[in-house]
């Protein structure tokens, strides 16, 4: 009887240790997902959206460092003009690193939104001061 109780408690202790190990493993996988995998997928999605939304006239930089203006957009390629000599180069869309035209437009839009928010805050403050008087 004594032997049976000893083996039962030992196996219960081993199961408790295994449960905490599984919980730690699940927590570690969750941390990896939220810290590494999810942000990387988000960056890939944003880059793909940027590449699919390029249009004629946008100023871009390629992964290789070539700067130019888009002259023609096709399904999987673009044609860019790289200098005042009107040198035209055809490249794959996946080679686009950044779109300066879109970045500048987004920056200007963010600045306008910030100014509008500041004006609304100032108007609210002035209205509150008017009520207090």
């Amino acid at each position: 009887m004594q032997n049976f109780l000893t083996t039962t408690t030992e196996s219960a202790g081993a199961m408790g240790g295994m449960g905490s190990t599984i919980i730690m493993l699940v927590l570690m996988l969750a941390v990896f997902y939220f810290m590494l995998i999810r942000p990387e997928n988000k960056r890939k999605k944003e880059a793909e959206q940027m590449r699919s939304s390029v249009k004629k006239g946008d100023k871009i930089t390629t992964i290789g460092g070539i700067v130019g203006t888009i002259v023609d957009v096709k399904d999987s390629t673009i044609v860019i003009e790289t200098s005042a000599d009107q040198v035209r180069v055809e490249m794959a869309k996946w080679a686009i690193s950044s779109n300066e035209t879109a970045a500048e437009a987004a920056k200007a839009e963010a600045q306008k939104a910030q100014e509008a928010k500041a004006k609304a805050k100032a108007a609210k403050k002035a209205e509150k001061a008017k009520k207090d008087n």
Side-chain angles (χ1 to χ4, degrees):
M1 186 72 167
Q2 181 69 22
N3 191 16
F4 175 72
L5 291 174
T6 309
T7 31
T8 307
T9 54
E10 286 176 0
S11 64
M15 291 302 279
M18 183 181 245
S20 65
T21 303
I22 291 173
I23 290 172
M24 289 300 288
L25 185 62
V26 168
L27 286 174
M28 208 163 43
L29 288 173
V31 167
F32 275 126
Y33 176 76
F34 285 108
M35 298 292 283
L36 299 172
I37 299 168
R38 191 169 179 231
E40 182 63 26
N41 287 341
K42 187 177 180 183
R43 276 191 293 273
K44 284 180 184 179
K45 191 180 222 180
E46 288 173 354
E48 185 59 37
Q49 192 272 335
M50 181 267 304
R51 289 178 181 128
S52 65
S53 68
V54 294
K55 59 189 181 298
K56 189 175 180 179
D58 285 352
K59 186 175 182 180
I60 62 158
T61 302
T62 66
I63 292 172
I66 299 172
V67 178
T69 305
I70 296 179
V71 222
D72 189 24
V73 179
K74 298 176 184 170
D75 286 340
S76 61
T77 62
I78 57 167
V79 177
I80 63 172
E81 195 170 272
T82 60
S83 66
D85 294 337
Q86 297 181 345
V87 175
R88 292 186 178 195
V89 180
E90 185 172 2
M91 299 187 157
K93 275 189 178 180
W94 61 262
I96 299 172
S97 174
S98 64
N99 184 346
E100 283 83 23
T101 306
E104 289 172 5
K107 190 175 181 181
E109 187 176 311
Q111 187 176 7
K112 284 181 183 179
Q114 187 177 13
E115 289 172 358
K117 188 176 179 181
K119 283 182 183 180
K121 188 175 181 180
K124 188 175 180 181
K125 195 173 187 180
E127 186 177 308
K128 185 177 179 183
K130 189 177 181 182
K131 278 187 180 180
D132 289 343
N133 289 335

